[in-house]
Amino acid sequence: MINDSKVSGRGHSASCTILIVEDHDTVRKSLVSWFAVVLPRCDVLEAPSGEEALGIIREVPVDLVVMDINLPGLNGIEVTEKIKSLRKEVRILILTIHEEERYVDDARAAGADSYVTKSSMQSALLPEVERLVFSIVDGRRL
């Protein structure tokens, strides 16, 4: 089910669709607002759980998923594997508190394209998102 708080592409065709998967409402809403400002041509959707994210992925052509690891029900690593099995072309950025290398390794093994810790997100999130969005848009031109 698609959340009604979707942020639209502001009246022009969106260059990408981003899905934020985060169970903490305040963090999720902040990310949705931030993405709407830094990437105004992208549509931003949100989901508070992995199960809801999978439902959106089945209904909407999402380009980039920004996902926490600690989610109720299926965790972000499990959801990453499921998304990649459904739609291999979807880019996935894990955004989490976990700094341990084993989490990075698990995320990469599941198919994540990028991994940013919440402690480094102020400096690392925008460059990683821009890199992934550019690869999405550039890939469509080929």
Side-chain angles (χ1 to χ4, degrees):
M1 183 166 128
I2 299 172
N3 192 317
D4 288 337
S5 63
K6 175 185 154 187
V7 178
S8 73
R10 312 249 193 271
H12 44 72
S13 64
S15 59
C16 68
T17 301
I18 300 169
L19 173 60
I20 310 297
V21 187
E22 168 65 59
D23 60 322
H24 293 98
D25 291 340
T26 305
V27 175
R28 188 177 65 252
K29 299 290 183 196
S30 294
L31 286 168
V32 167
S33 296
W34 182 78
F35 274 101
V37 171
V38 299
L39 295 170
R41 295 207 46 181
C42 292
D43 287 337
V44 182
L45 308 174
E46 58 181 282
S49 70
E51 289 82 359
E52 282 194 47
L54 290 169
I56 291 171
I57 291 288
R58 288 182 180 104
E59 293 179 26
V60 179
V62 171
D63 299 298
L64 171 63
V65 176
V66 177
M67 181 159 32
D68 192 9
I69 288 178
N70 297 334
L71 297 169
L74 295 172
N75 69 45
I77 303 296
E78 295 166 322
V79 177
T80 295
E81 283 182 337
K82 291 183 180 296
I83 290 171
K84 287 295 189 169
S85 73
L86 291 169
R87 299 202 33 234
K88 193 170 186 73
E89 74 280 2
V90 173
R91 306 298 198 292
I92 299 176
L93 183 150
I94 298 293
L95 179 62
T96 184
I97 62 167
H98 297 291
E99 297 185 11
E100 298 88 353
E101 198 62 35
R102 70 183 175 99
Y103 288 102
V104 177
D105 293 343
D106 289 348
R108 296 255 186 234
D113 298 285
S114 187
Y115 192 100
V116 175
T117 62
K118 288 181 179 175
S119 66
S120 69
M121 69 187 266
Q122 199 166 25
S123 62
L125 184 58
L126 184 57
E128 278 304 295
V129 166
E130 287 176 335
R131 180 182 69 81
L132 292 170
V133 168
F134 178 78
S135 71
I136 292 163
V137 173
D138 194 49
R140 289 185 186 147
R141 291 187 201 135
L142 300 178

